Every structure is written in C-alpha cells, then in structure tokens.
C-alpha cells in the first residue's frame, strides 16, 4: 500500500463508522425538536474572518490554522472552528432579518495543525449549534440543555458540566486591569508576556504545569462581575436546576477563543485523560460587530464527535444502530440471480435492508456471505424454486426454513423484521 491518510487525520470505517453516524443522527433529532434548522457552510473562509473573529492572540489563529493562498492571490483558511463561519453565513444571507433568535446547527470536519494524539487530531469532527439574535438567559440554558440531553440520550453517565461567566463590556475591563497587574508579576516567557497585553484571559487557559502553578492565586472574574452579569449568570443556573441538570462552578474556565462573553461552559469526561474536554461553548455578544455586522448577540457550542466516540467506548456503551443488512439473497443459477436482483430491489423499496451474493458463488460460499452480513434471514432461490414460484426463507439464528410464494415474500419479510 503506497498511500496512507495524512498524519493526524481521523477517519471512520465500518463498523465504528456506524456508531459515528448514529450519534450524529441522534443530535440532528435533538436539534430538530428544539426548532433548529440545518445549515451547510463553507469548509474554507477568508483568513481575516478568523483573525478578526476568533482573535489574533489565540493559539488557533497564531499557531494552528491551515492557511493557503489560492490562484487568485486570496488568503484562505480551512475552518478551525464553526461559529465565525456560521455567523458570517447568517449575515450574508440575511437570516437575522427574520425571526430571532436564528437557530441553526451544522457539522463536519474542522482543521487545526496540532500535535496528534488520542482525542486530538488535525482533521476532527464537530457538531455545532448556534442561537443568534437574543440576549436571554433562557436561550443560554436551552443551548446547554440540548447538549446535555444529547449526551444522556447516547447513554453517557459520566459527563460533567463546568460553568462560568466571563462578564461583559462593563465589568470585564476592571477585571482585565486587575488580572494584568497580577500576571505582570509572574515569571513567564516572552510570548506569554505579550499575551498579557493583548488578551490576559488567554493566559488563564495555559495548560503548562509551571504556568498553572503560578496562576493559583490569580484574581477570579466571578469576584468582579457587574450586577447585571451576576443576575444573568444566576438566572442561567436557576433554569438549569429547574431541568435537573447538574453543573460545577469552574471560576477559571475561560475557553480558548477571544469572542466569548458572559456564559461559558465545557463538558468534561474523566475517562478521557488529558483530553477530557468533549465539548463546550458560550456566549459571543460582540462577534458580529467584530466581523463587520450589526450588534447581534449569540450563544452556541461545538461538541467533539471523535471524543464522544471515545467516551462511549470507555464507558462500554453500545448504541443500537440500524442493521446494515436484514435479508441476504442467495441465488443459484443465472435466472434465479436475475429474479433475486429484482426481489431485493422490491424489499429495499419496502424499507427492508437487503443484500445478495454476487459473482455466481455456490451455496456454501453464498451462505458464508449471509452469515458475515449480519442478516437475520437468508432468501435461497434456485432454478427449481423459481419454477415453483416460491423462495426458501431461512432464519439464520434458528436455522428454521420455510417456503414462501414469491408474490408474498416482501410482505412476509416486512412483518418478520419489524
């Protein structure tokens, strides 16, 4: 084999791909029931969308983006996250001129040039949900509740919800100045010192042990919230409590992107080790103005599909996925194969998952294929059966076999596989 997938690219093949598809489908249903519409966005965007929206001081923009110049000399970037691109699309197509909030979700691959390890890839997959155009704590609580509902619907029991508030334009400057004063007195490298002047909250997100130890006595933004932000955060927590959703106050939770304000949250799974964050998000009330739009508050999240798959495996959760094959056709002879081909088409049209042995295999080889397919029933059709206008239906679990008229087999099998 000459070619392999690039390093750090996560791919899914059967049977694991069935789990991947099932968890995505469960999310689609969760979002639909809450009034969210699907949105498909560009995989690459103008580089400045992320520089202005995500923040030039972030690791995402400064170190991790896949940026290239196209043939027209334009600087483009493979999306490193969804929110900026989703908001761009909402503004470009005027969705914000209709009913607010605009409630949309999307999914797909995201790209960051990081050091690959389990749970951290250069091409990874996210589910993204956004509610744009409303500054209401109930929207924040709904957003969090939808993610929580999805995790629990999958059967995960060890997910933790971490919650914080990052304040607003009124109270953040006071805290920013206090935090900068504290950080300037620490023993930090030049790059981190530069970050103190651009966005000091990003220093709180530093994962290096030598930095985290120095941050133990850093001032907390929760102690500096204005009355409005304090009341807003309390309301979000009250609404979550009404739904029976447990949360843990995480006063140092800041997330990794510059656009977050007020409600900030993360979903954590303790069985994933160093990469325990499996999803998160928050409010971004100034992002629209940052990318040239009108004032348009919003909140959303990104949930990691890859890490959710790992979490399911660590908890030993197996999802019920639709059968790849319920009925497997075994045809003996050319005329029987022709009739079986038509019969399988009729079964599929009736909603029955059906496959057959191809290549003129004999009975023994074809029945091995039936066993490997995972089908519940095998249809065996030979020239003699064809002349009699019947087909043999074999239960592959019990080995019981019965003869069914060809004209009735679709109805019989529909009833059997229900």
């Amino acid at each position: 084999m000459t070619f392999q997938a690039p390093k750090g690219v996560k791919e899914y093949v059967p049977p694991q791909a069935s789990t991947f598809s099932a968890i995505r489908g469960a999310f689609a249903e969760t979002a639909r029931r809450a009034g969210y519409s699907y949105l498909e966005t560009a995989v690459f965007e103008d580089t400045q969308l992320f520089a202005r929206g995500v923040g030039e001081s972030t690791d995402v923009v400064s170190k991790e983006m896949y940026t290239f110049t196209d043939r027209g000399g334009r600087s483009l970037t493979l999306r490193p996250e969804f929110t900026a691109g989703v908001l761009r699309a909402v503004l470009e197509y005027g969705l914000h001129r209709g009913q607010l909030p605009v409630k949309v979700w999307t999914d797909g691959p995201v790209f960051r040039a990081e050091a690959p390890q389990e749970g951290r890839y250069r091409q990874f997959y996210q589910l993204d949900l956004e509610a744009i155009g409303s500054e209401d704590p109930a929207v924040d609580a709904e957003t969090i509740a939808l993610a929580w509902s999805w995790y629990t619907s999958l059967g995960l029991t060890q997910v933790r919800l971490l919650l914080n508030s990052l304040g607003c334009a009124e109270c953040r400057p006071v805290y920013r100045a206090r935090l900068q004063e504290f950080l300037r007195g620490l023993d930090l490298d030049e790059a981190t010192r530069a970050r103190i002047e651009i966005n000091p909250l990003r220093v709180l997100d530093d994962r290096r042990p030598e930095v985290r130890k120095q941050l133990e006595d850093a001032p907390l933004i929760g102690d500096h919230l204005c009355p409005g932000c304090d009341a807003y955060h309390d309301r979000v927590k009250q609404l979550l409590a009404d739904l029976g959703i447990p949360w843990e106050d995480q006063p140092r939770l800041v997330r990794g992107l510059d656009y977050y304000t007020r409600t900030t949250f993360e979903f954590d799974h303790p069985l994933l080790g160093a990469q325990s964050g499996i999803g998160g998000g928050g409010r971004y009330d100034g992002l629209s103005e940052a990318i040239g739009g009108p004032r348009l508050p919003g909140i959303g999240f990104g949930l990691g599909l890859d890490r959710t798959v790992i979490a399911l495996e660590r908890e030993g959760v197996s999802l019920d996925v639709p059968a790849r094959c319920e009925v497997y056709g075994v045809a003996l002879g050319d005329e029987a194969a022709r009739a079986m081909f038509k019969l399988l088409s009729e079964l599929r049209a009736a909603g029955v998952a059906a496959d057959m042995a191809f290549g003129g295999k004999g009975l023994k080889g074809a029945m091995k294929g039936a066993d490997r397919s995972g089908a519940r029933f095998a249809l065996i059709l030979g020239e003699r059966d064809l002349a009699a206008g019947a087909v043999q239906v074999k239960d592959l679990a019990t080995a019981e076999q019965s003869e069914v008229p060809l004209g009735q087999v679709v109805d019989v099998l529909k009833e059997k596989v229900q």
Side-chain angles (χ1 to χ4, degrees):
M1 183 67 179
T2 305
F3 297 105
Q4 294 181 333
K7 185 178 181 180
V9 172
K10 180 61 178 174
E11 297 180 306
Y12 291 89
V13 299
Q16 191 184 47
S18 296
T19 298
F20 182 90
S21 178
I23 63 177
R24 180 190 179 278
F27 183 82
E29 182 60 16
T30 298
R32 184 193 66 80
R33 289 176 179 173
Y36 286 76
S37 300
Y38 184 74
L39 175 74
E40 186 72 48
T41 62
V43 175
F44 55 87
E45 300 270 4
D46 187 310
T47 300
Q48 282 303 304
L49 174 68
F50 301 117
R52 293 169 58 183
V54 176
E56 295 197 48
S57 71
T58 63
D59 285 346
V60 170
V61 172
S62 64
K63 301 178 182 179
E64 298 170 359
M65 296 201 311
Y66 282 101
T67 298
F68 60 96
T69 302
D70 73 357
R71 294 181 181 181
R74 293 171 288 264
S75 179
L76 301 173
T77 296
L78 295 177
R79 62 187 177 206
E81 59 93 47
F82 274 107
T83 302
V86 169
L87 184 54
R88 186 269 310 153
V90 166
L91 295 172
E92 181 175 347
Y93 296 101
L95 301 183
H96 61 298
R97 300 191 187 100
Q99 182 178 353
L100 296 178
V102 178
K103 301 170 78 172
V104 293
W105 75 277
T106 188
D107 72 319
V110 186
F111 306 87
R112 294 187 189 178
E114 299 184 293
Q117 53 185 292
E118 185 183 44
R120 186 181 291 275
Y121 309 110
R122 291 172 177 168
Q123 175 179 304
F124 54 100
Y125 299 88
Q126 282 191 346
L127 294 163
D128 179 87
L129 181 141
E130 312 288 347
I132 299 167
S134 176
E135 195 170 1
D136 185 333
V139 176
D140 299 33
E142 177 186 85
T143 302
I144 295 169
L146 289 174
W148 184 265
S149 174
W150 176 66
Y151 283 129
T152 55
S153 74
L154 296 177
L156 291 174
T157 61
Q158 298 193 43
V159 176
R160 299 161 58 222
L161 168 60
L162 312 179
L163 196 61
N164 195 21
S165 174
L166 296 183
C168 66
E170 179 181 336
C171 54
R172 181 87 68 85
V174 177
Y175 173 69
R176 175 190 170 98
R178 176 82 186 280
L179 180 61
Q180 285 178 316
E181 181 182 359
F182 172 84
L183 294 174
R184 287 170 184 145
L186 303 183
D187 181 19
L188 301 170
D189 58 87
E190 288 304 313
T192 306
R193 288 195 168 279
R195 186 169 286 167
I196 293 172
E197 309 308 318
I198 301 171
N199 185 358
L201 268 73
R202 289 285 297 111
V203 180
L204 297 179
D205 198 41
D206 200 306
R207 303 296 181 183
R208 291 172 294 177
E210 64 273 19
V211 176
R212 297 196 72 79
K213 184 173 180 58
Q214 295 185 71
L215 295 173
E216 290 177 355
D217 297 323
L220 303 176
I221 192 165
D223 298 331
H224 297 77
L225 296 179
C226 64
C229 284
D230 208 17
Y232 193 101
H233 195 50
D234 284 343
R235 183 63 170 168
V236 172
K237 291 191 285 187
Q238 288 170 358
L239 292 168
L240 292 174
D242 289 344
L243 299 178
I245 297 176
W247 75 88
E248 299 176 28
D249 285 313
Q250 194 76 5
R252 300 187 188 280
L253 178 64
V254 297
R255 302 289 295 160
L257 309 179
D258 282 358
Y259 52 59
Y260 286 115
T261 59
R262 283 192 168 171
T263 304
T264 306
F265 56 93
E266 186 167 293
F267 295 100
D268 179 89
H269 198 289
L271 299 185
L272 268 67
Q275 306 303 328
S276 61
I278 61 174
R283 181 160 282 281
Y284 46 85
D285 292 344
L287 180 57
S288 179
E289 294 100 313
I291 63 173
R295 184 180 184 281
L296 201 62
I299 184 169
F301 60 63
L303 307 180
L305 274 164
D306 309 289
R307 294 186 187 178
T308 300
V309 170
I310 297 172
L312 289 167
E313 293 172 349
R314 296 285 165 82
E315 285 200 33
V317 177
S318 297
L319 300 183
D320 290 328
V321 299
R324 177 178 67 88
C325 181
E326 295 169 308
V327 176
Y328 193 87
V330 175
L332 306 174
D334 291 343
E335 287 303 311
R338 180 180 175 187
M340 182 65 75
F341 188 77
K342 182 174 183 293
L343 184 57
L344 260 61
S345 180
E346 293 171 355
L347 283 166
R348 292 167 182 167
V352 178
D355 198 359
M356 68 178 287
F358 292 96
K361 294 180 180 177
L363 180 61
K364 185 176 179 180
M367 291 305 294
K368 283 184 180 179
D371 290 334
R372 291 170 180 163
S373 74
R376 291 177 56 189
F377 299 96
L379 293 183
I380 305 170
L381 184 63
E383 301 296 343
R384 188 177 300 174
D385 299 304
L386 192 60
V391 63
Q392 305 299 317
V393 177
K394 183 173 183 177
D395 187 317
L396 293 174
T398 66
E400 293 180 1
Q401 186 167 311
S402 59
E403 186 174 274
V404 178
L406 279 170
Q408 299 176 22
V409 70
V410 172
D411 291 335
V412 169
L413 285 169
K414 272 183 65 178
E415 186 174 342
K416 283 181 178 292
V417 300
Q418 284 180 351

